[in-house]
Amino acid sequence: MDEEHLHDDLHDFKDRNFFRLKLRSFATVYLLLALSFLLIFTLFAVSLSRVSAISSKLQEVPLEQRHNISGRDFLLFPCGPRSREWEYFDGKCYYFSLTRTSWHKAKAQCEEMHSQLAVINSYAKQNFVMFRTRNERFWIGLTDENSEGEWEWVDGTDYKTTFTFWKEGEPNNSGSNEDCAHVWGSGKWNDVYCTYECYYICEKPVPK
């Protein structure tokens, strides 16, 4: 009987020991968690104070230097961070449409975006357009609607003294109804009726 009591006491002692060890291990885990949260909170507070300090220092930077900082944004998004669909080339921004429409509707849509149908007045710009349009047909800002054979750029650029890149035999006013110009084929220009639907190119100055 004494042996049975001794065995029971020993068993109770082991249970109590096991329970104490469990409590200690839980206490250690909770302590580590508390220390982790404290560390995270401290790091967050330090980061927040640093951001606040940098912000206040930035306000103290002279205006000229601030422009230099914004110049970095210009290198990434020369046409503006909200105009990522516009492409930069040689001091201007260009939009190549993803939908087809008539020349007059294309002209109106460019104007709604504070731009104009593209004026191609140099071989460099022609090369840029040729590479970008890749044999698709795109309206440009050239028309002779006002007087047959008297081609005019939408921005008033003098057509007679500037660069041209017509396809061989063009403009030919086929059907006596071809008054608007687009790029086609290998990027050369062609005259076609203005209600024809094709893509279009808008251009605008780089935003200040």
Side-chain angles (χ1 to χ4, degrees), residues 84-97:
R84 298 186 186 185
E85 68 274 17
W86 290 78
E87 299 180 29
Y88 175 82
F89 176 75
D90 195 25
K92 290 193 175 180
C93 297
Y94 295 85
Y95 172 79
F96 295 84
S97 77

Side-chain angles (χ1 to χ4, degrees), residues 15-92:
D15 284 344
R16 284 196 295 274
N17 233 13
F18 178 76
F19 184 68
R20 284 193 195 113
L21 287 172
K22 280 285 184 184
L23 281 177
R24 283 178 189 171
S25 63
F26 280 133
T28 305
V29 169
Y30 288 138
L31 181 61
L32 288 173
L33 282 173
L35 288 172
S36 299
F37 282 124
L38 183 61
L39 182 62
I40 291 169
F41 179 78
T42 304
L43 289 173
F44 177 75
V46 170
S47 300
L48 194 62
S49 64
R50 285 183 180 177
V51 169
S52 179
I54 291 170
S55 179
S56 62
K57 284 182 181 178
L58 188 59
Q59 294 301 320
E60 297 170 5
V61 172
L63 188 61
E64 184 179 347
Q65 290 184 28
R66 284 193 219 172
H67 285 316
N68 291 337
I69 293 169
S70 65
R72 296 170 193 167
D73 292 335
F74 173 79
L75 292 175
L76 292 172
F77 309 110
C79 296
R82 295 183 181 179
S83 300
R84 298 186 186 185
E85 68 274 17
W86 290 78
E87 299 180 29
Y88 175 82
F89 176 75
D90 195 25
K92 290 193 175 180

